[in-house]
Amino acid sequence: MLDLTLVGDEFQSSIDGEDVLIDRYVAAYAELNKIFPVLGNVFKFVSKDVNSKISILETKRTALPESYKTVRSMVKHETEFAILTSDQDNGCRTLLRLHRALAFVVEFMNAIYETTNENISEPVWSAYSSTLSEHHPWLIRKTVGGAMYTLPTRSAILLEVGGKDALPRLVSVIRSVYDSVQLLFSENSLLTLK
């Protein structure tokens, strides 16, 4: 079962002033990743992709702990050593993809909290459309659109995440972390990495 309190605590501990600690961010994401299998078979590929990105960041953090301690130090390191253009699996590109997915997750969690309708396909589609869809090609958008009709009910999801009580704090904490990463990437013109 996904522990929303743990996810919130991990994301909260990732905030380091105006920076974000990569190891805490990755730990939070590893726990948060448990939500995707709950959403059905179509979303299991998302979970595998997230695990792959987590592994890339953990490997970089292990190899160069000081350079990959925070988002700011990673950006500095990868910019100074031209890693952004020489390594397809660079940390900034990898984190940017997780960052974009985090925007979807926060809107998804907020939709689950705010709706009372058991059928959540519409609010989840809206969350996807306002976040990730602009980064996906047509085929992926169509696949995700079809997957919306296979989502479990709101009650089933809330059962898997231990209820809705932790959602407002989680949404607030994730938005804070998201905003910090967004600012760091924006300041360094990294929001459009391909």
Side-chain angles (χ1 to χ4, degrees):
M1 179 172 9
L2 172 64
D3 185 340
L4 294 180
T5 303
L6 177 60
V7 173
D9 291 347
E10 290 287 2
F11 272 120
Q12 184 69 50
S13 71
S14 76
I15 299 170
D16 185 32
E18 294 181 2
D19 208 345
V20 175
L21 299 168
I22 292 175
D23 61 343
R24 302 294 11 116
Y25 182 96
V26 166
Y29 228 114
E31 182 66 22
L32 183 63
N33 194 28
K34 294 177 183 177
I35 191 66
F36 296 115
V38 170
L39 301 178
N41 288 333
V42 179
F43 285 88
K44 287 185 179 172
F45 80 92
V46 175
S47 181
K48 288 180 184 178
D49 189 48
V50 168
N51 279 333
S52 171
K53 287 171 178 35
I54 286 171
S55 178
I56 290 168
L57 290 173
E58 287 175 334
T59 300
K60 292 189 177 300
R61 173 96 172 96
T62 300
L64 295 166
E66 286 307 308
S67 296
Y68 291 89
K69 182 176 183 177
T70 69
V71 173
R72 188 178 307 280
S73 64
M74 175 181 68
V75 168
K76 181 176 187 242
H77 172 74
E78 292 194 348
T79 302
E80 284 180 4
F81 291 96
I83 294 170
L84 294 173
T85 55
S86 66
D87 179 3
Q88 194 62 19
D89 286 335
N90 66 65
C92 290
R93 181 177 289 110
T94 301
L95 184 67
L96 178 61
R97 288 181 174 54
L98 288 175
H99 175 68
R100 289 173 177 165
L102 194 59
F104 165 72
V105 169
V106 75
E107 294 307 320
F108 164 76
M109 294 287 188
N110 196 51
I112 296 294
Y113 179 75
E114 289 183 346
T115 190
T116 56
N117 192 341
E118 281 299 303
N119 182 338
I120 59 166
S121 60
E122 188 176 311
V124 175
W125 176 252
S126 178
Y128 173 77
S129 295
S130 68
T131 57
L132 281 175
S133 71
E134 69 182 82
H135 305 291
H136 289 161
W138 178 86
L139 184 59
I140 299 277
R141 289 193 307 268
K142 289 297 179 189
T143 302
V144 171
M148 293 299 144
Y149 296 104
T150 68
L151 289 171
T153 64
R154 177 179 183 264
S155 295
I157 292 173
L158 288 175
L159 185 64
E160 288 290 328
V161 300
K164 70 176 195 170
D165 294 342
L167 286 173
R169 175 183 176 261
L170 180 64
V171 166
S172 175
V173 169
I174 291 176
R175 281 187 176 145
S176 293
V177 173
Y178 177 88
D179 290 346
S180 294
V181 173
Q182 183 78 5
L183 181 62
L184 289 165
F185 273 54
S186 178
E187 288 174 348
N188 291 281
S189 302
L190 297 175
L191 290 172
T192 57
L193 281 175
K194 301 283 183 205

